[in-house]
Amino acid sequence: MQKKIRHFLWLLTATFLMGLFILSIHVRMMDCKDWLLVTPITSDSSRINTEALEKTNGGVFLLTYEILSKENLQALNANYDVAVIKTNFTYPFIMHKKLLEGSFFTEKDQKERKNLAVLNKTSAYAMFGNINVSGLKIKMGQNQYTVTGVIDDESEDKSIYIPVSCSEENPRSFVVGLENNLTREQIKNQCKSILSEESGYRFIYFGDLAEVVYGVFLIGLKLAAISIFLFFIQRSNCRLQQNIKEYKDLLKRHYARELFEFYPKKVIKIGFAFTCMITMIILILNLIFSSIEYFLFCHDNIWVLQLNDSSAFGFITSALKTSIYLSVFFIIGFSINICLLLMERLHSSGDWNNGKNTN
């Protein structure tokens, strides 16, 4: 029974560590570490003027935004309910979206208020059966739009992207691309000319949220390495004590140089054991310092977890927050299982030693 429990704990421990690894890969695949989201603190904040955004766009940094709405459009005499995303020409560059066919609308198209549309892959196949759709027409309301390309936004829902200049709407939030090694203060100073009240907006660095997940995974790896060393040392404790005793006896009778010459295997064994112990101590100290640094970092960014982001990019914030919560759950479960396994190992070792002494 005890053996089955031990195997179950090992399986659970491996599952928690694998969960941390999968989460870190998932966050890395989101590819959002170079994004800064500027979003209002409250839902009743005024919208940001599109013209002010475009005046700043392309100067010191690139920025983009989304204005979402649900519309009914007509293509090939059939009607479709789609999500319409009004945005600007820098959207695919900042959001790392791949064009599967054709092209995105340009800055010139946006300024000239051309009725152009880019379909996502789901829309292209639903409306036309393939992605070779450049030049085809769709009708939305009283306006006709020319399709310029197909974008891969990894969405299963039908979506189309049109220039923001085709409407008079303004976004509530925007994303800045952090690819020019700009400091946070430089970005905030540039944003002052855009925002009516800087104090009414939050600056969310997605890279910081991603680092929280990576940090938990690294803590898990260090904890796993320490646990392996502890299991190794505990398992070979009796043999290690015996080797140290023999080594002390040999030192009383020989010089260190003679030990290397006549007893190289014993010296190597002792050296390896001490190296493992020193490595474990270094890992423990590193784990303590990195954990303190991690918790201080989390304390400075705890407001993000309490933020209910209702912006167009809120789903990214929600996905990162969920990843953080899951990573904390996994590391707590992993730590508890490691402690239980160590306690069980020490208990088994104590029973074995008591039985040996009795005999």
Side-chain angles (χ1 to χ4, degrees):
M1 184 68 180
Q2 194 175 17
K3 190 175 182 181
K4 288 183 178 180
I5 293 174
R6 189 189 310 131
H7 288 165
F8 175 74
L9 287 174
W10 275 116
L11 180 63
L12 207 56
T13 303
T15 302
F16 283 132
L17 188 61
M18 183 58 67
L20 286 172
F21 175 70
I22 292 171
L23 271 178
S24 64
I25 294 296
H26 168 69
V27 170
R28 187 173 293 276
M29 289 178 65
M30 288 176 68
D31 200 14
C32 61
K33 62 182 176 60
D34 58 349
W35 296 346
L36 162 66
L37 173 63
V38 183
T39 186
I41 296 174
T42 59
S43 58
D44 57 351
S45 298
S46 60
R47 292 181 176 268
I48 306 166
N49 184 268
T50 304
E51 291 184 7
L53 285 169
E54 292 305 324
K55 284 180 182 177
T56 305
N57 189 22
V60 179
F61 51 73
L62 296 178
L63 60 84
T64 191
Y65 43 85
E66 291 182 356
I67 303 171
L68 305 177
S69 63
K70 293 286 185 180
E71 305 287 348
N72 183 271
L73 63 79
Q74 193 176 63
L76 299 180
N77 298 319
N79 292 319
Y80 300 91
D81 291 321
V82 299
V84 177
I85 302 166
K86 306 171 188 74
T87 186
N88 64 350
F89 66 97
T90 52
Y91 182 85
F93 307 108
I94 295 176
M95 305 304 291
H96 311 302
K97 301 299 183 184
K98 181 182 176 183
L99 270 296
L100 300 176
E101 194 268 341
S103 61
F104 211 74
F105 49 82
T106 64
E107 182 179 10
K108 183 170 181 275
D109 296 330
Q110 184 176 320
K111 287 181 177 178
E112 293 178 357
R113 299 177 178 271
K114 290 184 178 179
N115 287 346
L116 303 176
V118 178
L119 310 183
N120 72 342
K121 186 167 67 172
T122 305
S123 293
Y125 277 106
M127 297 175 191
F128 302 104
N130 60 76
I131 61 171
N132 299 313
V133 295
S134 293
L136 298 179
K137 307 290 184 181
I138 60 174
K139 188 175 181 182
M140 190 163 54
Q142 300 300 316
N143 299 316
Q144 191 174 62
Y145 292 80
T146 302
V147 178
T148 62
V150 176
I151 193 170
D152 184 11
D153 60 4
E154 300 176 358
S155 173
E156 298 297 323
D157 299 323
K158 295 186 286 293
S159 304
I160 70 167
Y161 299 79
I162 65 173
V164 69
S165 54
C166 292
S167 73
E168 300 297 327
E169 297 178 72
N170 293 312
R172 297 185 66 252
S173 59
F174 61 94
V175 167
V176 175
L178 305 176
E179 295 183 350
N180 295 328
N181 297 320
L182 297 172
T183 65
R184 301 186 179 192
E185 288 304 316
Q186 286 176 316
I187 294 170
K188 286 186 177 181
N189 288 334
Q190 287 292 322
C191 290
K192 285 180 181 177
S193 60
I194 304 172
L195 306 174
S196 55
E197 295 181 17
E198 184 190 351
S199 59
Y201 288 84
R202 293 283 195 186
F203 293 79
I204 302 175
Y205 296 84
F206 287 136
D208 286 352
L209 300 184
E211 284 300 323
V212 173
V213 179
Y214 300 150
V216 174
F217 176 57
L218 289 176
I219 288 174
L221 285 181
K222 292 172 185 177
L223 190 57
I226 291 169
S227 303
I228 291 169
F229 279 118
L230 284 173
F231 279 116
F232 170 77
I233 291 171
Q234 191 277 328
R235 186 173 182 179
S236 57
N237 184 41
C238 294
R239 190 167 43 193
L240 180 63
Q241 288 179 357
Q242 184 180 354
N243 286 335
I244 291 173
K245 186 178 179 181
E246 289 179 5
Y247 187 70
K248 285 181 178 179
D249 292 338
L250 289 171
L251 276 175
K252 291 177 182 178
R253 300 194 301 269
H254 302 278
Y255 291 109
R257 180 176 56 81
E258 293 175 337
L259 290 179
F260 280 101
E261 185 176 350
F262 297 111
Y263 305 98
K265 289 185 178 180
K266 288 186 179 294
V267 173
I268 290 171
K269 285 181 180 179
I270 293 292
F272 178 73
F274 275 109
T275 301
C276 288
M277 291 178 69
I278 291 169
T279 304
M280 186 186 70
I281 292 169
I282 292 171
L283 275 172
I284 290 173
L285 291 173
N286 184 272
L287 177 64
I288 292 170
F289 287 124
S290 60
S291 297
I292 292 171
E293 184 181 358
Y294 170 78
F295 286 118
L296 288 174
F297 178 81
C298 289
H299 181 266
D300 292 337
N301 292 274
I302 193 69
W303 61 268
V304 178
L305 299 179
Q306 299 168 348
L307 179 68
N308 292 320
D309 183 15
S310 58
S311 71
F313 300 97
F315 71 96
I316 302 173
T317 311
S318 298
L320 287 170
K321 284 166 62 177
T322 302
S323 297
I324 291 171
Y325 288 133
L326 284 173
S327 66
V328 171
F329 169 75
F330 284 142
I331 195 66
I332 291 173
F334 180 76
S335 303
I336 290 172
N337 275 274
I338 286 292
C339 290
L340 290 173
L341 284 166
L342 285 171
M343 289 169 62
E344 189 275 336
R345 184 72 187 177
L346 289 170
H347 179 72
S348 299
S349 176
D351 289 346
W352 185 82
N353 287 331
N354 288 335
K356 185 178 178 182
N357 293 332
T358 302
N359 293 332

